Amino acid sequence: MGKNLLQKVWESHRVRTLSTGQAQLFIGLHLVHEVTSPQAFDALRQRGWSVRYPQRTFATADHIVPTDSLARPFADSLAEEMMTALETNCREFGVTCFDLKDSRQGIVHVIGPELGLTQPGMTIACGDSHTSTHGAFGAIALGIGTSQVRDVLATQCLAIDPLKVRRIRVTGRLRSGSFAKDVILTIIRRLGVKGGVGYAYEYAGDAIDNMSMEERMTICNMSIEGGARVGYINPDETTFEYLKGRTYAPSNAPPNGLSNGASSGGDWEKAVSWWRSMASDPDASFDDDVEIVGGEIKPAVTWGINPGQSVGVDEAIPSPGDFEGGERTSIEEALSFMDFQPGKKISGTKIDVAFIGSCTNSRISDLRAAARVVEGRKVASDVRALVVPGSRDVAQVALSEGLDKIFSDAGFDWRGAGCSMCLAMNPDKLNDREICASSSNRNFKGRQGHPTGRTLLMSPAMVAAAAVAGEVVDVREFYDDE
Amino acid sequence: MSDTAASGHIEKRRQIEGRGIAVRGDDIDTDRIIPARFLRCVTFEGLGDHAFEDDRKAHPGGAHPFDRQEFQGARILVVNRNFGCGSSREHAPQSLSRWGIQAVVGESFAEIFFGNCIALGVPCLTLSSQDVARLQDAIEKDPSLQIVLDLEARTVIYREPSIYPEPSEGSERSVAAGLPDGAQQAFLAGTWDAAGLLMESPETIDRVAASLPYVSGWTR
């Protein structure tokens, strides 16, 4: 019997089994940001510890970064304090930081892959639940809390319980207007927001195989919204093609500093060969198998207060009366918070704000898909719309393609890189009862910066269409015009 | 009082005892436990004041359990399904712990939240949905109800208030609870702060690192 990727990565990174029965895993890449790290660095200071593998630790600032002006000190003194703490900690502990003066700054889950830091077969940890994004490369990427950030800083290891693996095969081809975001929202709707507890999700099937790395990142990003600890996709030619030539990726040129050893030439071929060997074997076994028909996936929109509460754009908001027990209570609570009518179609729901951004959907292909919809059109007069590229690199590419101008001409605000209104730790926030069509990952109560603000999750193309129409609308109608 | 015994600098935790507080609802996410605006900080100090802040404001007149007088000083939080889903922010268990919560009992927990709680020494025990509902009812009927969590025996013990005539005349109820072996071990041995354990084997860490081609520089 062959092994799956999780088993291979687990075995190659296991330091030992702890007395608690948990595995002690070596962490190949530790990504750090300003929100979940200051207390961890303080703990190191208090205990007199150093960072064990500073060369495998990289930091950036994303959550609190203002997207309109980077002038220091920030207007928000708390944000300024966090930014200063990150800079001081990285300097003191010898950690590379892609700070606000660095052209490589951006959302940690956007820049890790962009720089080629994220590679197949690795273990990756970051004090952020959307670390699952990096699984798109065939890495086992774990979101952790601050105590564990401290552990990884101090030991480059994590104590972790074993995981089961559920393979989710998305078969066939997606239809026009359906994107990676719709695939993952459909998976979560079907398996539930707690369906993945205890599992790693392996995404497979033709629809996944045919996806670009950016689309795969969108899928893996939201694994956590389905309750899964990690999500991954087996590395293949698409993965290798993406990585080739990136700053920290292996190359046949002299080493760039990340690797400890001296290059003996032919590193790229050796890396590809090892990466390939880490993919799930054809006869690997799985603890569970699920199949989703790609051709049936519609553009999805959430109507509730968790990412499992979505419908196809042409479908109606469910009625609590059709459900029982806890599910019924949840739906009632969601409808009451959203102030939505059961049985009413989600399309036609008026929006106040359109947000294109976040670690889920802020990469160049996302911006291109949205720009294709807005080009030559105008944002509805009562809609506030903003585009927040995931990184400075994404922004740079978008500028070179003129996407910023397409968005600006349509009435979108073109902003600097960061997490922005996904969780509104920076100045970008909803007001009062505003409804936001958002390409982000969470529609929790109060998520976008106001306790009563409301979020409708959808793909970037759907957000763009909603911005233009002023209401939720099927993006496929826009393609028919072209 | 919680039955915690200190042996050397390692604190073992076998039993937690105290009054309960019920927060009902499935899928209560970490944004609701501690809204993101309170993450703008470089220490965890003061987070206890903001636990469930927006939910509390949405319950006018101090109707949220965390605001009700009779639940002040409660130590055991009783919740429903998939509690703590969403963000990995340790600020969530930190805010609960700093409010006074020493243990959580629920139908199920999101994994990162569960791990964050364990790392802080806050056990999360699971019960069936019926048993959770019964315990929540009991707490609401009698906020002074004393609950014992026996981590060694994995049981939740309390005197169930009877409907007539007085709560105190109820019968003792002991319910088997779920607690994974690893977490149980960590509390019984006092090793929930994993850093110490992880630091025990520096040579093995370096050996495993060196065996990974991406660490050793693709030399093999």
Side-chain angles (χ1 to χ4, degrees), chain A residues 147-274:
Chain A
S147 293
Q148 291 176 310
V149 171
R150 172 204 64 202
D151 294 350
V152 180
L153 288 173
T155 70
Q156 203 63 27
C157 289
L158 271 181
I160 181 161
D161 285 310
L163 290 169
K164 294 181 283 185
V165 183
R166 171 178 291 141
R167 181 171 54 178
I168 301 172
R169 277 177 300 176
V170 186
T171 62
R173 284 190 172 274
L174 301 185
R175 292 191 299 188
S176 168
S178 292
F179 296 86
K181 182 65 156 287
D182 304 303
V183 174
I184 189 63
L185 283 172
T186 302
I187 289 172
I188 298 167
R189 178 186 179 186
R190 169 134 160 227
L191 301 177
V193 289
K194 48 193 161 282
V197 173
Y199 282 96
Y201 279 177
E202 174 178 314
Y203 303 99
D206 289 345
I208 303 287
D209 293 343
N210 288 326
M211 281 184 181
S212 70
M213 289 315 297
E214 299 197 350
E215 294 174 295
R216 294 179 188 185
M217 285 187 245
T218 300
I219 302 269
C220 289
N221 173 273
M222 288 186 71
S223 301
I224 187 71
E225 306 330 322
R229 192 74 177 79
V230 302
Y232 70 85
I233 293 167
N234 285 305
D236 62 8
E237 297 307 320
T238 306
T239 320
F240 311 145
E241 192 52 42
Y242 177 97
L243 282 170
K244 198 166 194 177
R246 296 199 179 253
T247 310
Y248 289 93
S251 83
N252 293 337
N256 52 41
L258 174 59
S259 59
N260 294 337
S263 172
S264 56
D267 282 4
W268 175 254
E269 288 75 19
K270 286 178 194 165
V272 168
S273 159
W274 188 72

Side-chain angles (χ1 to χ4, degrees), chain A residues 428-467:
Chain A
D428 307 330
K429 299 176 199 305
L430 295 186
N431 301 311
D432 303 320
R433 288 291 278 159
E434 281 183 334
I435 295 184
C436 179
S438 181
S439 74
S440 56
N441 42 59
R442 289 185 176 139
N443 51 342
F444 297 153
K445 287 181 179 178
R447 171 76 179 180
Q448 292 191 285
H450 195 281
T452 56
R454 295 171 283 179
T455 304
L456 308 178
L457 301 178
M458 57 189 86
S459 74
M462 283 282 288
V463 173

